[in-house]
Amino acid sequence: MKQYLAALLCVLLAVSLFAGCGKNPEDPVSTKLPAPPSMTAAPTAAPKPEPTVTIDSGFWVVTKMAVDGSEYEGDFLTDIFGPADHTLSCGFAADGTVTCVYFDELFKSSWSGSGESATFTFGDQEAKAAVTDEGLLTVTVADGSVFTLVNQEEMPDAILNNPWRTYAPNFSEQETTAMSTFMAGGGYIVKDDVLYGLSHSVTLSGSLGATAFTMKGDFPSFGEVTDLDASGIANYLCIEGDHLYYVRDYSAICRVPLAGGDVEVLYDGACDYLQIYNGRLYFTDADYHFVSTDMDGNDLTTVVNRELYYPYFICENWIVFQDDADDESLHLYNIAHDADVNITYVPSYQPILDGCYLYFVMYDGDGIPYLNRIDMSDPAVFPCESSDLPLADTNYMIDGEYIYLPNNISRVKEEWQTLTDTGTAISSVNVYISPEYNIHHEFDADGLISAKYLTSIEKGGGTSFK
């Protein structure tokens, strides 16, 4: 019997990871409800009635269920399937979302109704929920399954410690432009009509400067440059409070007051890919391992102990990155639970999230790059699409409405599969995009920067700057 129960639990509690771009998917895990074995449950005493509650009060944990002609209740249920909250637990939020764990698999949907009754999607079926006079919750699923749940204030462990609880990638236009700029090296940032970034350079040997500007009609008009750090090139610029944080010459992480002043070195050593998230600095070290410090450069912590590139937070605790050892494929990783999912299986570059779509560049068997995208909203599927036409290289940016390639080539997002470039020498590249402004560099025949332009998105006018 023990061997039978162990095998049963392995089947019910197995969690599969799903195929993305570049891999033929295995048999996908069904979202239909798994059917426990047919057993006869010994009756147990009814749970003590709870005070009057509503559907969105606290959380709900199963105490009785009737599935596929079999009933399970109380101790008999937990003896067979383990902790009740891992068998079925739910939280109905006031914003109309519901999060449930069913046999250790988490799913999310929306609910509608009143405080006493609601309709929501359970797996791939409609379910009706209703609060009883005893303060219990009955959930009746379209396939005939019926669950009885008790209320509790605390979030059940099965939900709290499930890595997918916080998975909700859906970038705004502002977030998409920030990620685009990050993937381009993060060399500029605009805030309160001041441009921060590379100044006085055509050879990338200039300094970090701050230049105030005003709009004169359709065109920006610049004032004098204030030098912030003349000792190296700044990348991955981030503003937090009244300070500018950045990577200097890929050999230190620094900060300087926005108005100018003393430069502080917060981290001394090879580094790359700086991002500020939830009050901490995240970046890669000399080995391209993903590490973190507090905002003063203290409390150095290793987050992902392997070589990776493009690490970027796309929702709470979840980053996307390229795993160098895994054929340079893209991975999702939960930093709180050490949960790792491969989503492309083939070499993939420059990931940028727009809404719930993750765009990236993937090379075919002949080494030709194509733009691709994955729908990140359903981690059980991760469906992938590919563009019809090749690109010349991996440079592209998204501003929430348009996708940009070098040499002033762009398309509205809906036409992304027809986006291509000519393959000629690069004469201009977008390096910063925001909902208000973008910046592009122009290059001469030797590949040196010949001009830098700030353009107003609303006005359409662009002005060169030092």
Side-chain angles (χ1 to χ4, degrees):
M1 182 64 177
K2 289 183 179 179
Q3 292 177 337
Y4 167 75
L5 290 177
L8 168 64
L9 289 176
C10 288
V11 171
L12 290 176
L13 303 182
V15 178
S16 297
L17 301 178
F18 309 99
C21 292
K23 179 179 179 181
N24 292 326
E26 305 294 336
D27 293 335
V29 173
S30 173
T31 55
K32 294 184 174 63
L33 306 183
S38 178
M39 293 184 178
T40 302
T44 61
K48 182 180 179 180
E50 298 287 336
T52 301
V53 293
T54 58
I55 284 176
D56 58 354
S57 297
F59 298 89
W60 299 93
V61 176
V62 69
T63 188
K64 179 180 179 180
M65 65 183 188
V67 177
D68 201 28
S70 299
E71 293 189 357
Y72 310 86
E73 184 175 2
D75 292 341
F76 185 68
L77 183 149
T78 55
D79 287 345
I80 294 292
F81 302 114
D85 65 320
H86 287 258
T87 302
L88 176 62
S89 54
C90 294
F92 293 81
D95 65 1
T97 59
V98 56
T99 301
C100 295
V101 168
Y102 187 62
F103 288 108
D104 269 334
E105 293 193 28
L106 183 140
F107 69 86
K108 299 178 182 180
S109 63
S110 58
W111 68 277
S112 59
S114 64
E116 291 74 36
S117 62
T119 300
F120 68 105
T121 302
F122 193 107
D124 61 355
Q125 303 181 67
E126 184 178 85
K128 302 284 187 181
V131 177
T132 69
D133 293 339
E134 294 78 19
L136 303 174
L137 183 72
T138 60
V139 175
T140 303
V141 185
D143 68 358
S145 302
V146 180
F147 303 89
T148 303
L149 299 91
V150 294
N151 188 258
Q152 66 180 52
E153 292 184 3
E154 301 82 13
M155 181 181 293
D157 177 75
I159 296 178
L160 179 64
N161 292 321
N162 191 296
W164 297 99
R165 177 177 67 88
T166 59
Y167 183 77
N170 188 17
F171 267 20
S172 66
E173 181 178 322
Q174 189 77 43
E175 291 169 317
T176 296
T177 55
M179 189 172 184
S180 285
T181 298
F182 176 91
M183 293 302 163
Y188 294 96
I189 192 167
V190 176
K191 182 176 175 62
D192 297 332
D193 295 331
V194 178
L195 168 63
Y196 302 90
L198 180 67
S199 65
H200 301 296
S201 173
V202 294
T203 62
L204 294 180
S205 61
S207 63
L208 172 62
T211 311
F213 66 92
T214 56
M215 293 300 298
K216 299 293 186 181
D218 294 343
F219 296 87
S221 176
F222 291 94
E224 292 299 315
V225 177
T226 299
D227 286 332
L228 299 179
D229 186 349
S231 58
I233 300 300
N235 290 97
Y236 301 104
L237 275 60
C238 308
I239 292 177
E240 188 76 11
D242 58 358
H243 280 81
L244 183 67
Y245 295 75
Y246 54 98
V247 172
R248 184 173 67 193
D249 286 341
Y250 299 101
S251 60
I253 292 175
C254 305
R255 72 178 171 194
V256 64
L258 295 176
D262 292 337
V263 175
E264 299 176 78
V265 175
L266 306 178
Y267 177 86
D268 189 10
C271 52
D272 206 348
Y273 299 116
L274 172 66
Q275 185 183 13
I276 296 177
Y277 188 80
N278 280 350
R280 288 185 67 85
L281 306 175
Y282 289 88
F283 53 96
T284 57
D285 63 14
D287 297 318
Y288 281 91
H289 294 176
F290 195 48
V291 299
S292 174
T293 71
D294 65 21
M295 296 299 291
D296 295 321
N298 302 316
D299 186 30
L300 179 65
T301 304
T302 298
V303 180
V304 183
N305 192 31
R306 62 182 187 268
E307 187 175 349
L308 56 82
Y309 299 86
Y310 313 122
Y312 201 87
F313 282 92
I314 62 170
C315 51
E316 185 180 348
N317 290 330
W318 285 98
I319 61 172
V320 63
F321 66 86
Q322 183 199 70
D323 190 325
D324 185 71
D326 195 10
D327 202 23
E328 298 184 319
S329 60
L330 295 182
H331 282 234
L332 273 175
Y333 184 86
N334 187 292
I335 67 170
H337 298 282
D338 193 29
D340 187 296
V341 186
N342 188 325
I343 58 176
T344 63
Y345 298 94
V346 295
S348 310
Y349 306 89
Q350 299 288 104
I352 297 174
L353 187 69
D354 178 74
C356 64
Y357 287 101
L358 185 71
Y359 292 81
F360 61 98
V361 175
M362 186 169 70
Y363 288 86
D364 68 6
D366 297 322
I368 308 242
Y370 287 81
L371 192 61
N372 293 257
R373 77 175 187 182
I374 295 175
D375 184 347
M376 302 290 283
S377 60
D378 185 358
V381 182
F382 287 135
C384 180
E385 304 171 90
S386 181
S387 60
D388 301 324
L389 300 171
L391 306 177
D393 59 28
T394 60
N395 284 300
Y396 77 100
M397 300 187 83
I398 306 176
D399 68 1
E401 183 177 359
Y402 292 91
I403 300 179
Y404 300 87
L405 296 182
N407 301 339
N408 300 314
I409 298 171
S410 65
R411 290 282 191 281
V412 293
K413 287 187 305 182
E414 291 73 18
E415 298 176 1
W416 71 274
Q417 288 178 298
T418 64
L419 184 65
T420 187
D421 53 27
T422 61
T424 59
I426 293 178
S427 60
S428 67
V429 170
N430 288 290
V431 292
Y432 171 83
I433 284 182
S434 77
E436 296 84 22
Y437 302 98
N438 66 33
I439 296 172
H440 75 270
H441 286 174
E442 292 187 352
F443 300 91
D444 61 22
D446 296 322
L448 300 178
I449 299 173
S450 58
K452 298 172 289 184
Y453 284 86
L454 174 72
T455 301
S456 166
I457 300 297
E458 178 184 358
K459 302 292 187 179
T463 303
S464 64
F465 60 92
K466 293 182 181 180

